[in-house]
Each structure stands twice: as C-alpha cells, then as structure tokens.
Amino acid sequence: MPPLMRKHLTKAFPYVPGRPIEEVQREFGLRDVVKLASNENPLGPSPKALKAIRKHARNSHRYPDGDATELRRALAQKHGVRPEQIIVGAGTDDLNTFIMTAYAGPGRSLVTSLGSFIRYEQTAIVSGAGVKNVPFKNWRHDIDALLAAIGPKTGALCVANPDNPVGCMITKPEADRLVRGAPNRVFVLLDEAYCEYCAANPSYPDSLSYVKKRDNVMVTRTFSKAYGLAGLRIGYGISSAQVIETLNRTRPPFNAARLSQEAALAALEDDEHVEKVLSLNEEGKAYFEAEYERLGLECIKSYANFISVDTRRDAEAVFQALLRRGVIVRPLGGCRMPTWLRISIGLPRENRKCVRALEAALREVPEKQV
Ligand SMILES: *Cc1c(COP(=O)(O)O)cnc(C)c1O
C-alpha cells in the first residue's frame, strides 16, 4: 500500500513540458529537429553571460549567496526600487509556489483567466486552494469579469501580460482598472515574463508604477525568455517590502543557483544582445503572420515570442505529424483549446522548416467539422 496522499492533491496534475530535442531525435530517427515548443530564446545566452558562467564554474562547490545580494542590488538600480522590494527565484515559477503558500492555501482561492498560464492554477491547487477561472473575451483578459470573480475567499489574482499561451496584452487603462479594482487584502500578480517583447508598445503599462503605489501588487520578470537563460532557472519579483518579507518566510535558503545569479548579472549588462533578440523576433513574427494568412489559418495577435494558431484540426494529431517531420510545437488541448497550436518564433531557418512541415501536416490530418 502506498502512503496516504493528502486528499486535495487528487485535483493536482503534473505539468507537461515540451518534448526535448534529443528524445524526438531518438524516437523518430531524425538528425535535424527544431524545437519551437517552449518559447525559448533561439539566439541563446549573451556571450557575456557565457563568460561569467565559465569564470565562476570553479566556485561551484560553494553554496550561492542565499540572498542574491549583488543581483538584487543590480535589479533594484535598474528598476528604481529598493533591494528589499526584490525576491529572486529559480525561475519565476519558483515564486508561484511561494505566492500560493503565502496567499492562497486551504480555504482560499485563486482568480485567473481560463486557458492562461497553467502554473498559477497548478501551484494554487497544490497549496490546497480553490481556483476561479474566468474565460477570455475575444482572446483577451476580461478585466471586469476578473474583478467580479473576486470574493471574500480570494487570496490571489494572477495574470500574465503578455499572456501565454494566448499572447494578448493588457493595456495601460485595463491594468489601471485591474489594480485599482482589486481590494488591498488580495495579492495581485502581474507576470511579465515577455515584457521585453512589447516594452516599446505605447499601450503597455508601466507596471512598476503600481508597485510604487500599492502594497499588494507584484511584478515578475524572468531571464528565461529575452535573456536566453531558461536552462539556468532564474527570475525575480518586485513588490512592497512587506510582500517580499512574507514570501521570504516560505523560500528555501539557496533557491537561486550560483552560476545562475552570475549569468543573470552579466546578462543585464548586455542590452545589445537583447536588442538582437527582439529584432529577430519581430522579423520571425511577421514571417509567421504572413504564412498563416497564406494558409488561411486564424491566429491570435501576439505581443510575445510565440503565436497561437487554430489548425481547425485535432491539434494533437497535427502535433504528431509535425514531430515526425522533426518540428516540436505545443498543442493547446491542456488549455482547453483542442484545435490550437502554440508555435514559438525561432531562427529564420527553423521558422521556414516549421511552415513547410505544417503545410504537409495540414494535408495529412483531416479538417474537423464544427
Ligand atoms: C515562460 C514563462 C514564465 C517564466 O518562467 P521561468 O520559471 O522564469 O522560466 C513565467 N510566466 C509565463 C506566463 C511564462 O510563459
């Protein structure tokens, strides 16, 4: 007999990550496999980050600085806040666990958008909390419905801006309304994992202004996307010193690895690399948009480094047909979008290979009658 699992975990479910390149190479006997499944940075890390990793590798026998002092100092300077307002995580996903432990849990609930980033829901369920899912409206966060879903038991409200997997953006007036409408007792997360990709958009909110005005708002940012350090697992949150103090009560002592902290510090110094990443992404986005239009496929306007597209077919079958052709993408059945794929924007060569494979897969998989 296995030991008795806590009952609330019957509602929990493991995260299904994108298939690793090596596994697909082995399974299908393919040499050239491209992965456009996890919104990773196709250009890789900044050369400055790579240099820092090599330099600090020899100190790997030492525990990291548990308080990430240098990195928090650099981030505080960059964002015009105090170091006490910053917490560093093993990826921002690490922070979701702290957030739910501190502000959700048994007897409380999370409010989020249905079909949005699944990790808010997963970490809330594991903490023992309930979840109120609010449907998107025209593939955008429905601000009024999110606010209306807040009840006496709501502990946290989480939105991603831009969203993943939908790719939509919450505008400044909408973000103003959301932050103003949420009661002070509710923790509000603005997850800005993809903010670099739309920072130049005049409608994108200056979310740090909310942190400066309110004690209950946290903005999270990551080194996994525009900075190309997903494999090192490092990200951070900015909030009031009170929220950071609370989250630190739940944080394990050495959660952010030494080489990750060093690489992040170096990556912050390389704006040029980020610029390259952003212009490559714009070019790739325009290419995919034009190709989807040519193929007569509906896609959702994306403000990030991926596009979600309606194949009008069983997306799982299209996903399999693409795998056989050496292209890994993300079917969105788990987000209640059974005919949709999310495809990350890669290098030009990878994008072209993906479109060629998609054309063949669309011929192979019959269209669904709806
Ligand atoms: C990729 C992503 C993150 C970043 O996760 P890390 O743990 O920092 O790698 C956070 N939120 C969303 C919505 C994402 O898509």
Side-chain angles (χ1 to χ4, degrees):
M1 258 258 296
L4 288 179
M5 180 177 79
R6 289 177 64 197
K7 213 163 162 193
H8 73 274
L9 291 179
T10 51
K11 288 196 248 109
F13 46 96
Y15 182 82
V16 185
R19 298 275 303 266
I21 290 177
E22 297 78 6
E23 192 184 293
V24 173
Q25 282 172 327
R26 240 178 294 129
E27 183 175 333
F28 297 91
L30 296 166
R31 258 222 329 258
D32 183 32
V33 171
V34 307
K35 185 180 176 203
L36 302 175
S38 302
N39 304 340
E40 291 152 340
N41 186 330
L43 278 185
S46 143
K48 290 187 180 170
L50 290 175
K51 198 169 149 210
I53 293 166
R54 275 192 295 270
K55 178 172 162 206
H56 292 278
R58 72 183 62 131
N59 295 326
S60 294
H61 60 303
R62 302 288 179 202
Y63 280 106
D65 174 358
D67 292 327
T69 312
E70 287 301 314
L71 182 55
R72 281 174 43 245
R73 200 188 339 247
L75 291 168
Q77 190 165 17
K78 176 181 163 88
H79 295 300
V81 297
R82 289 175 289 127
E84 298 78 49
Q85 293 181 268
I86 296 181
I87 185 168
V88 172
T92 48
D93 196 27
D94 207 19
L95 307 179
N96 290 324
T97 307
F98 309 160
I99 291 165
M100 299 309 163
T101 305
Y103 299 109
R108 295 194 179 195
S109 68
L110 160 77
V111 170
T112 189
S113 290
L114 177 71
S116 179
F117 194 48
I118 203 73
R119 288 294 298 155
Y120 315 135
E121 182 171 343
Q122 287 183 328
T123 49
I125 290 172
V126 168
S127 80
V131 178
K132 259 200 219 170
N133 271 312
V134 176
F136 282 110
K137 195 166 152 187
N138 302 322
W139 298 121
R140 303 196 60 238
H141 290 286
D142 186 340
I143 304 297
D144 295 317
L146 283 165
L147 289 174
I150 295 175
K153 291 188 170 170
T154 303
L157 183 152
C158 297
V159 290
N161 189 29
D163 187 73
N164 171 21
V166 169
C168 63
M169 178 178 76
I170 298 172
T171 63
K172 178 171 169 0
E174 289 172 328
D176 287 352
R177 205 142 43 85
L178 187 71
V179 169
R180 235 182 293 124
N184 283 320
R185 64 180 170 79
V186 173
F187 176 93
V188 176
L189 173 68
L190 301 172
D191 176 347
E192 297 192 336
Y194 302 96
C195 67
E196 292 85 1
Y197 297 94
C198 62
N201 189 309
S203 302
Y204 192 64
D206 167 20
S207 56
L208 289 175
S209 70
Y210 306 131
V211 172
K212 286 166 191 166
K213 278 193 270 253
R214 304 275 300 239
D215 289 338
N216 62 327
V217 177
M218 172 171 262
V219 175
T220 52
R221 305 266 174 99
T222 184
F223 288 95
S224 297
K225 306 286 159 57
Y227 288 97
L229 298 176
L232 288 180
R233 314 300 308 120
I234 188 134
Y236 59 100
I238 309 172
S239 187
S240 60
Q242 297 97 308
V243 162
I244 301 301
E245 196 270 343
T246 299
L247 295 181
N248 272 327
R249 295 172 188 231
T250 78
R251 183 177 65 83
F254 302 110
N255 62 317
R258 172 182 286 275
L259 293 183
S260 310
Q261 292 185 33
E262 296 294 350
L265 264 171
L268 279 177
E269 298 291 310
D270 198 347
D271 292 338
E272 205 181 307
H273 186 69
V274 175
E275 284 306 317
K276 241 191 255 175
V277 169
L278 300 186
S279 73
L280 183 79
N281 189 66
E282 283 309 300
E283 189 188 314
K285 197 191 288 179
Y287 169 75
F288 271 116
E289 282 169 351
E291 290 297 304
Y292 291 150
E293 183 164 350
R294 178 175 68 81
L295 297 172
L297 300 178
E298 183 199 344
C299 65
I300 304 169
K301 178 162 177 55
S302 170
Y303 292 85
N305 65 348
F306 57 84
I307 301 180
S308 289
V309 58
D310 186 2
T311 66
R312 297 193 309 271
R313 289 154 178 83
D314 175 13
E316 193 60 40
V318 179
F319 163 69
Q320 290 294 340
L322 288 173
L323 271 190
R324 288 194 293 277
R325 292 171 173 86
V327 178
I328 314 173
V329 299
R330 205 62 200 275
L332 295 180
C335 300
R336 292 98 164 169
M337 295 163 76
T339 62
W340 292 75
L341 293 176
R342 187 194 68 196
I343 302 182
S344 309
I345 296 163
L347 300 171
R349 180 192 79 80
E350 298 174 320
N351 300 341
R352 285 193 298 270
K353 181 179 167 95
C354 175
V355 168
R356 272 200 308 276
L358 183 61
E359 280 190 273
L362 292 175
R363 281 193 296 271
E364 188 178 303
V365 180
E367 202 160 328
K368 237 188 194 168
Q369 304 305 324
V370 279

